[in-house]
PDB file of all heavy atoms in Angstrom:
ATOM      1  N   GLY A 287       0.817  -1.199   0.000  1.00  0.00           N
ATOM      2  CA  GLY A 287       0.000   0.000   0.000  1.00  0.00           C
ATOM      3  C   GLY A 287       0.847   1.244   0.000  1.00  0.00           C
ATOM      4  O   GLY A 287       2.068   1.188  -0.187  1.00  0.00           O
ATOM      5  N   LEU A 288       0.173   2.364   0.222  1.00  0.00           N
ATOM      6  CA  LEU A 288       0.838   3.660   0.298  1.00  0.00           C
ATOM      7  C   LEU A 288       1.021   4.032   1.767  1.00  0.00           C
ATOM      8  O   LEU A 288       0.051   3.983   2.541  1.00  0.00           O
ATOM      9  CB  LEU A 288      -0.009   4.715  -0.411  1.00  0.00           C
ATOM     10  CG  LEU A 288       0.445   6.164  -0.276  1.00  0.00           C
ATOM     11  CD1 LEU A 288       1.809   6.362  -0.923  1.00  0.00           C
ATOM     12  CD2 LEU A 288      -0.590   7.094  -0.896  1.00  0.00           C
ATOM     13  N   VAL A 289       2.230   4.389   2.142  1.00  0.00           N
ATOM     14  CA  VAL A 289       2.520   4.723   3.531  1.00  0.00           C
ATOM     15  C   VAL A 289       3.491   5.895   3.557  1.00  0.00           C
ATOM     16  O   VAL A 289       4.314   6.050   2.646  1.00  0.00           O
ATOM     17  CB  VAL A 289       3.092   3.487   4.263  1.00  0.00           C
ATOM     18  CG1 VAL A 289       4.410   3.050   3.674  1.00  0.00           C
ATOM     19  CG2 VAL A 289       3.208   3.734   5.753  1.00  0.00           C
ATOM     20  N   GLN A 290       3.395   6.696   4.598  1.00  0.00           N
ATOM     21  CA  GLN A 290       4.297   7.826   4.744  1.00  0.00           C
ATOM     22  C   GLN A 290       5.664   7.365   5.244  1.00  0.00           C
ATOM     23  O   GLN A 290       5.763   6.317   5.901  1.00  0.00           O
ATOM     24  CB  GLN A 290       3.710   8.849   5.715  1.00  0.00           C
ATOM     25  CG  GLN A 290       2.470   9.548   5.187  1.00  0.00           C
ATOM     26  CD  GLN A 290       2.007  10.658   6.111  1.00  0.00           C
ATOM     27  OE1 GLN A 290       2.371  10.715   7.281  1.00  0.00           O
ATOM     28  NE2 GLN A 290       1.198  11.563   5.586  1.00  0.00           N
ATOM     29  N   PRO A 291       6.704   8.125   4.969  1.00  0.00           N
ATOM     30  CA  PRO A 291       8.022   7.787   5.520  1.00  0.00           C
ATOM     31  C   PRO A 291       7.947   7.632   7.039  1.00  0.00           C
ATOM     32  O   PRO A 291       7.287   8.424   7.722  1.00  0.00           O
ATOM     33  CB  PRO A 291       8.881   8.982   5.118  1.00  0.00           C
ATOM     34  CG  PRO A 291       8.242   9.495   3.871  1.00  0.00           C
ATOM     35  CD  PRO A 291       6.763   9.297   4.075  1.00  0.00           C
ATOM     36  N   GLY A 292       8.593   6.608   7.542  1.00  0.00           N
ATOM     37  CA  GLY A 292       8.551   6.301   8.960  1.00  0.00           C
ATOM     38  C   GLY A 292       7.441   5.349   9.349  1.00  0.00           C
ATOM     39  O   GLY A 292       7.402   4.873  10.493  1.00  0.00           O
ATOM     40  N   GLY A 293       6.551   5.066   8.423  1.00  0.00           N
ATOM     41  CA  GLY A 293       5.428   4.184   8.695  1.00  0.00           C
ATOM     42  C   GLY A 293       5.786   2.715   8.607  1.00  0.00           C
ATOM     43  O   GLY A 293       6.946   2.340   8.386  1.00  0.00           O
ATOM     44  N   SER A 294       4.760   1.881   8.776  1.00  0.00           N
ATOM     45  CA  SER A 294       4.951   0.430   8.794  1.00  0.00           C
ATOM     46  C   SER A 294       3.939  -0.261   7.899  1.00  0.00           C
ATOM     47  O   SER A 294       2.838   0.250   7.676  1.00  0.00           O
ATOM     48  CB  SER A 294       4.787  -0.108  10.221  1.00  0.00           C
ATOM     49  OG  SER A 294       5.751   0.440  11.095  1.00  0.00           O
ATOM     50  N   LEU A 295       4.332  -1.414   7.417  1.00  0.00           N
ATOM     51  CA  LEU A 295       3.445  -2.305   6.670  1.00  0.00           C
ATOM     52  C   LEU A 295       3.833  -3.739   6.988  1.00  0.00           C
ATOM     53  O   LEU A 295       4.997  -4.017   7.305  1.00  0.00           O
ATOM     54  CB  LEU A 295       3.564  -2.093   5.155  1.00  0.00           C
ATOM     55  CG  LEU A 295       2.892  -0.875   4.525  1.00  0.00           C
ATOM     56  CD1 LEU A 295       3.266  -0.785   3.057  1.00  0.00           C
ATOM     57  CD2 LEU A 295       1.383  -0.947   4.673  1.00  0.00           C
ATOM     58  N   ARG A 296       2.877  -4.633   6.865  1.00  0.00           N
ATOM     59  CA  ARG A 296       3.145  -6.060   7.023  1.00  0.00           C
ATOM     60  C   ARG A 296       2.702  -6.783   5.767  1.00  0.00           C
ATOM     61  O   ARG A 296       1.509  -6.774   5.441  1.00  0.00           O
ATOM     62  CB  ARG A 296       2.406  -6.637   8.228  1.00  0.00           C
ATOM     63  CG  ARG A 296       2.827  -8.063   8.576  1.00  0.00           C
ATOM     64  CD  ARG A 296       1.863  -8.697   9.533  1.00  0.00           C
ATOM     65  NE  ARG A 296       2.395  -9.918  10.136  1.00  0.00           N
ATOM     66  CZ  ARG A 296       1.623 -10.902  10.606  1.00  0.00           C
ATOM     67  NH1 ARG A 296       0.315 -10.789  10.577  1.00  0.00           N
ATOM     68  NH2 ARG A 296       2.184 -11.974  11.154  1.00  0.00           N
ATOM     69  N   LEU A 297       3.637  -7.380   5.092  1.00  0.00           N
ATOM     70  CA  LEU A 297       3.347  -8.124   3.882  1.00  0.00           C
ATOM     71  C   LEU A 297       3.153  -9.606   4.213  1.00  0.00           C
ATOM     72  O   LEU A 297       3.772 -10.130   5.145  1.00  0.00           O
ATOM     73  CB  LEU A 297       4.489  -7.989   2.871  1.00  0.00           C
ATOM     74  CG  LEU A 297       4.912  -6.574   2.512  1.00  0.00           C
ATOM     75  CD1 LEU A 297       5.999  -6.624   1.431  1.00  0.00           C
ATOM     76  CD2 LEU A 297       3.744  -5.731   2.067  1.00  0.00           C
ATOM     77  N   SER A 298       2.317 -10.256   3.421  1.00  0.00           N
ATOM     78  CA  SER A 298       2.085 -11.693   3.561  1.00  0.00           C
ATOM     79  C   SER A 298       2.280 -12.364   2.214  1.00  0.00           C
ATOM     80  O   SER A 298       2.001 -11.779   1.165  1.00  0.00           O
ATOM     81  CB  SER A 298       0.663 -11.976   4.055  1.00  0.00           C
ATOM     82  OG  SER A 298       0.427 -11.395   5.315  1.00  0.00           O
ATOM     83  N   CYS A 299       2.733 -13.592   2.258  1.00  0.00           N
ATOM     84  CA  CYS A 299       2.874 -14.399   1.050  1.00  0.00           C
ATOM     85  C   CYS A 299       2.406 -15.805   1.378  1.00  0.00           C
ATOM     86  O   CYS A 299       3.002 -16.465   2.237  1.00  0.00           O
ATOM     87  CB  CYS A 299       4.315 -14.411   0.584  1.00  0.00           C
ATOM     88  SG  CYS A 299       4.655 -15.592  -0.741  1.00  0.00           S
ATOM     89  N   THR A 300       1.374 -16.229   0.699  1.00  0.00           N
ATOM     90  CA  THR A 300       0.827 -17.559   0.929  1.00  0.00           C
ATOM     91  C   THR A 300       1.135 -18.449  -0.264  1.00  0.00           C
ATOM     92  O   THR A 300       0.953 -18.053  -1.413  1.00  0.00           O
ATOM     93  CB  THR A 300      -0.686 -17.496   1.163  1.00  0.00           C
ATOM     94  OG1 THR A 300      -0.938 -16.689   2.317  1.00  0.00           O
ATOM     95  CG2 THR A 300      -1.252 -18.888   1.418  1.00  0.00           C
ATOM     96  N   ALA A 301       1.624 -19.642   0.045  1.00  0.00           N
ATOM     97  CA  ALA A 301       1.990 -20.589  -1.003  1.00  0.00           C
ATOM     98  C   ALA A 301       1.056 -21.795  -0.978  1.00  0.00           C
ATOM     99  O   ALA A 301       0.690 -22.278   0.090  1.00  0.00           O
ATOM    100  CB  ALA A 301       3.427 -21.066  -0.789  1.00  0.00           C
ATOM    101  N   SER A 302       0.674 -22.235  -2.142  1.00  0.00           N
ATOM    102  CA  SER A 302      -0.091 -23.471  -2.235  1.00  0.00           C
ATOM    103  C   SER A 302       0.892 -24.638  -2.228  1.00  0.00           C
ATOM    104  O   SER A 302       2.038 -24.488  -2.655  1.00  0.00           O
ATOM    105  CB  SER A 302      -0.912 -23.499  -3.523  1.00  0.00           C
ATOM    106  OG  SER A 302      -0.053 -23.467  -4.647  1.00  0.00           O
ATOM    107  N   GLY A 303       0.508 -25.763  -1.693  1.00  0.00           N
ATOM    108  CA  GLY A 303       1.398 -26.910  -1.745  1.00  0.00           C
ATOM    109  C   GLY A 303       2.166 -27.140  -0.463  1.00  0.00           C
ATOM    110  O   GLY A 303       2.549 -26.197   0.221  1.00  0.00           O
ATOM    111  N   SER A 304       2.417 -28.377  -0.138  1.00  0.00           N
ATOM    112  CA  SER A 304       3.038 -28.745   1.130  1.00  0.00           C
ATOM    113  C   SER A 304       4.549 -28.616   1.121  1.00  0.00           C
ATOM    114  O   SER A 304       5.175 -28.776   2.149  1.00  0.00           O
ATOM    115  CB  SER A 304       2.669 -30.181   1.492  1.00  0.00           C
ATOM    116  OG  SER A 304       3.111 -31.054   0.457  1.00  0.00           O
ATOM    117  N   ILE A 305       5.153 -28.303  -0.009  1.00  0.00           N
ATOM    118  CA  ILE A 305       6.597 -28.212  -0.076  1.00  0.00           C
ATOM    119  C   ILE A 305       7.111 -26.988   0.675  1.00  0.00           C
ATOM    120  O   ILE A 305       8.278 -26.881   0.991  1.00  0.00           O
ATOM    121  CB  ILE A 305       7.056 -28.165  -1.548  1.00  0.00           C
ATOM    122  CG1 ILE A 305       8.542 -28.466  -1.657  1.00  0.00           C
ATOM    123  CG2 ILE A 305       6.726 -26.829  -2.176  1.00  0.00           C
ATOM    124  CD1 ILE A 305       9.023 -28.626  -3.085  1.00  0.00           C
ATOM    125  N   PHE A 306       6.222 -26.077   0.992  1.00  0.00           N
ATOM    126  CA  PHE A 306       6.607 -24.813   1.608  1.00  0.00           C
ATOM    127  C   PHE A 306       7.411 -25.010   2.882  1.00  0.00           C
ATOM    128  O   PHE A 306       8.405 -24.351   3.110  1.00  0.00           O
ATOM    129  CB  PHE A 306       5.346 -23.992   1.885  1.00  0.00           C
ATOM    130  CG  PHE A 306       5.594 -22.725   2.642  1.00  0.00           C
ATOM    131  CD1 PHE A 306       5.946 -21.565   1.985  1.00  0.00           C
ATOM    132  CD2 PHE A 306       5.461 -22.696   4.025  1.00  0.00           C
ATOM    133  CE1 PHE A 306       6.174 -20.389   2.688  1.00  0.00           C
ATOM    134  CE2 PHE A 306       5.685 -21.530   4.734  1.00  0.00           C
ATOM    135  CZ  PHE A 306       6.035 -20.376   4.068  1.00  0.00           C
ATOM    136  N   SER A 307       6.987 -25.919   3.753  1.00  0.00           N
ATOM    137  CA  SER A 307       7.550 -26.010   5.099  1.00  0.00           C
ATOM    138  C   SER A 307       9.040 -26.353   5.093  1.00  0.00           C
ATOM    139  O   SER A 307       9.760 -25.985   6.007  1.00  0.00           O
ATOM    140  CB  SER A 307       6.786 -27.041   5.931  1.00  0.00           C
ATOM    141  OG  SER A 307       6.901 -28.315   5.331  1.00  0.00           O
ATOM    142  N   GLY A 308       9.536 -27.046   4.083  1.00  0.00           N
ATOM    143  CA  GLY A 308      10.940 -27.421   4.033  1.00  0.00           C
ATOM    144  C   GLY A 308      11.801 -26.489   3.213  1.00  0.00           C
ATOM    145  O   GLY A 308      13.004 -26.730   3.042  1.00  0.00           O
ATOM    146  N   SER A 309      11.221 -25.411   2.746  1.00  0.00           N
ATOM    147  CA  SER A 309      11.913 -24.507   1.839  1.00  0.00           C
ATOM    148  C   SER A 309      12.462 -23.287   2.566  1.00  0.00           C
ATOM    149  O   SER A 309      11.824 -22.778   3.488  1.00  0.00           O
ATOM    150  CB  SER A 309      10.964 -24.040   0.731  1.00  0.00           C
ATOM    151  OG  SER A 309      10.475 -25.127  -0.018  1.00  0.00           O
ATOM    152  N   VAL A 310      13.618 -22.825   2.116  1.00  0.00           N
ATOM    153  CA  VAL A 310      14.104 -21.514   2.542  1.00  0.00           C
ATOM    154  C   VAL A 310      13.355 -20.480   1.695  1.00  0.00           C
ATOM    155  O   VAL A 310      13.450 -20.502   0.472  1.00  0.00           O
ATOM    156  CB  VAL A 310      15.619 -21.368   2.340  1.00  0.00           C
ATOM    157  CG1 VAL A 310      16.083 -19.980   2.771  1.00  0.00           C
ATOM    158  CG2 VAL A 310      16.369 -22.450   3.105  1.00  0.00           C
ATOM    159  N   MET A 311      12.628 -19.614   2.363  1.00  0.00           N
ATOM    160  CA  MET A 311      11.797 -18.631   1.651  1.00  0.00           C
ATOM    161  C   MET A 311      12.390 -17.239   1.804  1.00  0.00           C
ATOM    162  O   MET A 311      12.977 -16.899   2.838  1.00  0.00           O
ATOM    163  CB  MET A 311      10.380 -18.644   2.192  1.00  0.00           C
ATOM    164  CG  MET A 311       9.649 -19.956   1.958  1.00  0.00           C
ATOM    165  SD  MET A 311       9.430 -20.331   0.206  1.00  0.00           S
ATOM    166  CE  MET A 311       8.363 -18.981  -0.321  1.00  0.00           C
ATOM    167  N   GLY A 312      12.215 -16.449   0.766  1.00  0.00           N
ATOM    168  CA  GLY A 312      12.759 -15.105   0.795  1.00  0.00           C
ATOM    169  C   GLY A 312      11.794 -14.070   0.265  1.00  0.00           C
ATOM    170  O   GLY A 312      10.830 -14.398  -0.438  1.00  0.00           O
ATOM    171  N   TRP A 313      12.049 -12.849   0.645  1.00  0.00           N
ATOM    172  CA  TRP A 313      11.359 -11.694   0.078  1.00  0.00           C
ATOM    173  C   TRP A 313      12.346 -10.967  -0.840  1.00  0.00           C
ATOM    174  O   TRP A 313      13.534 -10.834  -0.513  1.00  0.00           O
ATOM    175  CB  TRP A 313      10.864 -10.748   1.158  1.00  0.00           C
ATOM    176  CG  TRP A 313       9.606 -11.200   1.818  1.00  0.00           C
ATOM    177  CD1 TRP A 313       9.485 -11.880   2.996  1.00  0.00           C
ATOM    178  CD2 TRP A 313       8.270 -10.994   1.340  1.00  0.00           C
ATOM    179  NE1 TRP A 313       8.163 -12.114   3.278  1.00  0.00           N
ATOM    180  CE2 TRP A 313       7.396 -11.582   2.272  1.00  0.00           C
ATOM    181  CE3 TRP A 313       7.729 -10.375   0.214  1.00  0.00           C
ATOM    182  CZ2 TRP A 313       6.006 -11.571   2.113  1.00  0.00           C
ATOM    183  CZ3 TRP A 313       6.354 -10.358   0.055  1.00  0.00           C
ATOM    184  CH2 TRP A 313       5.510 -10.947   0.998  1.00  0.00           C
ATOM    185  N   TYR A 314      11.819 -10.504  -1.958  1.00  0.00           N
ATOM    186  CA  TYR A 314      12.587  -9.751  -2.928  1.00  0.00           C
ATOM    187  C   TYR A 314      11.805  -8.480  -3.261  1.00  0.00           C
ATOM    188  O   TYR A 314      10.610  -8.402  -2.984  1.00  0.00           O
ATOM    189  CB  TYR A 314      12.770 -10.571  -4.221  1.00  0.00           C
ATOM    190  CG  TYR A 314      13.457 -11.888  -4.026  1.00  0.00           C
ATOM    191  CD1 TYR A 314      12.783 -12.999  -3.533  1.00  0.00           C
ATOM    192  CD2 TYR A 314      14.804 -12.042  -4.362  1.00  0.00           C
ATOM    193  CE1 TYR A 314      13.416 -14.217  -3.362  1.00  0.00           C
ATOM    194  CE2 TYR A 314      15.450 -13.257  -4.195  1.00  0.00           C
ATOM    195  CZ  TYR A 314      14.745 -14.333  -3.699  1.00  0.00           C
ATOM    196  OH  TYR A 314      15.385 -15.546  -3.537  1.00  0.00           O
ATOM    197  N   ARG A 315      12.476  -7.540  -3.883  1.00  0.00           N
ATOM    198  CA  ARG A 315      11.764  -6.344  -4.333  1.00  0.00           C
ATOM    199  C   ARG A 315      12.374  -5.831  -5.636  1.00  0.00           C
ATOM    200  O   ARG A 315      13.548  -6.069  -5.916  1.00  0.00           O
ATOM    201  CB  ARG A 315      11.783  -5.246  -3.272  1.00  0.00           C
ATOM    202  CG  ARG A 315      13.161  -4.664  -2.971  1.00  0.00           C
ATOM    203  CD  ARG A 315      13.060  -3.704  -1.789  1.00  0.00           C
ATOM    204  NE  ARG A 315      14.353  -3.102  -1.469  1.00  0.00           N
ATOM    205  CZ  ARG A 315      14.566  -2.331  -0.401  1.00  0.00           C
ATOM    206  NH1 ARG A 315      13.572  -2.079   0.443  1.00  0.00           N
ATOM    207  NH2 ARG A 315      15.766  -1.815  -0.192  1.00  0.00           N
ATOM    208  N   GLN A 316      11.530  -5.159  -6.391  1.00  0.00           N
ATOM    209  CA  GLN A 316      11.975  -4.586  -7.657  1.00  0.00           C
ATOM    210  C   GLN A 316      11.431  -3.182  -7.780  1.00  0.00           C
ATOM    211  O   GLN A 316      10.210  -2.987  -7.851  1.00  0.00           O
ATOM    212  CB  GLN A 316      11.527  -5.445  -8.836  1.00  0.00           C
ATOM    213  CG  GLN A 316      12.093  -4.983 -10.162  1.00  0.00           C
ATOM    214  CD  GLN A 316      11.910  -6.003 -11.259  1.00  0.00           C
ATOM    215  OE1 GLN A 316      11.088  -6.919 -11.162  1.00  0.00           O
ATOM    216  NE2 GLN A 316      12.690  -5.886 -12.327  1.00  0.00           N
ATOM    217  N   ALA A 317      12.327  -2.222  -7.768  1.00  0.00           N
ATOM    218  CA  ALA A 317      11.954  -0.819  -7.940  1.00  0.00           C
ATOM    219  C   ALA A 317      11.920  -0.497  -9.433  1.00  0.00           C
ATOM    220  O   ALA A 317      12.557  -1.182 -10.237  1.00  0.00           O
ATOM    221  CB  ALA A 317      12.949   0.073  -7.220  1.00  0.00           C
ATOM    222  N   PRO A 318      11.194   0.550  -9.810  1.00  0.00           N
ATOM    223  CA  PRO A 318      11.108   0.918 -11.229  1.00  0.00           C
ATOM    224  C   PRO A 318      12.489   1.132 -11.840  1.00  0.00           C
ATOM    225  O   PRO A 318      13.326   1.845 -11.277  1.00  0.00           O
ATOM    226  CB  PRO A 318      10.306   2.215 -11.200  1.00  0.00           C
ATOM    227  CG  PRO A 318       9.493   2.123  -9.955  1.00  0.00           C
ATOM    228  CD  PRO A 318      10.360   1.414  -8.967  1.00  0.00           C
ATOM    229  N   GLY A 319      12.733   0.483 -12.964  1.00  0.00           N
ATOM    230  CA  GLY A 319      13.990   0.651 -13.672  1.00  0.00           C
ATOM    231  C   GLY A 319      15.172  -0.080 -13.062  1.00  0.00           C
ATOM    232  O   GLY A 319      16.306   0.087 -13.520  1.00  0.00           O
ATOM    233  N   LYS A 320      14.922  -0.886 -12.036  1.00  0.00           N
ATOM    234  CA  LYS A 320      16.010  -1.611 -11.371  1.00  0.00           C
ATOM    235  C   LYS A 320      15.765  -3.107 -11.413  1.00  0.00           C
ATOM    236  O   LYS A 320      14.653  -3.561 -11.641  1.00  0.00           O
ATOM    237  CB  LYS A 320      16.156  -1.142  -9.926  1.00  0.00           C
ATOM    238  CG  LYS A 320      16.568   0.313  -9.782  1.00  0.00           C
ATOM    239  CD  LYS A 320      16.860   0.654  -8.340  1.00  0.00           C
ATOM    240  CE  LYS A 320      17.353   2.083  -8.203  1.00  0.00           C
ATOM    241  NZ  LYS A 320      17.661   2.417  -6.783  1.00  0.00           N
ATOM    242  N   GLN A 321      16.836  -3.857 -11.183  1.00  0.00           N
ATOM    243  CA  GLN A 321      16.707  -5.301 -11.128  1.00  0.00           C
ATOM    244  C   GLN A 321      16.093  -5.738  -9.809  1.00  0.00           C
ATOM    245  O   GLN A 321      16.173  -5.025  -8.797  1.00  0.00           O
ATOM    246  CB  GLN A 321      18.086  -5.946 -11.292  1.00  0.00           C
ATOM    247  CG  GLN A 321      18.661  -5.832 -12.695  1.00  0.00           C
ATOM    248  CD  GLN A 321      19.905  -6.678 -12.875  1.00  0.00           C
ATOM    249  OE1 GLN A 321      20.643  -6.900 -11.919  1.00  0.00           O
ATOM    250  NE2 GLN A 321      20.137  -7.144 -14.091  1.00  0.00           N
TER     251      GLN A 321
END
């Protein structure tokens, strides 16, 4: 969402499938024009 500087957000990611529990999971981000 949209938040002011200094604010907070909580992101969630839900995966289908039972393989999730044994996996190393990560968060990534991509800004405009960047990798």
Side-chain angles (χ1 to χ4, degrees):
L288 172 64
V289 63
Q290 292 186 342
S294 298
L295 283 174
R296 189 194 194 205
L297 306 183
S298 299
C299 171
T300 300
S302 62
S304 59
I305 196 172
F306 174 86
S307 61
S309 300
V310 179
M311 296 297 296
W313 281 97
Y314 301 79
R315 66 187 181 187
Q316 186 167 18
K320 296 187 177 181
Q321 289 190 330

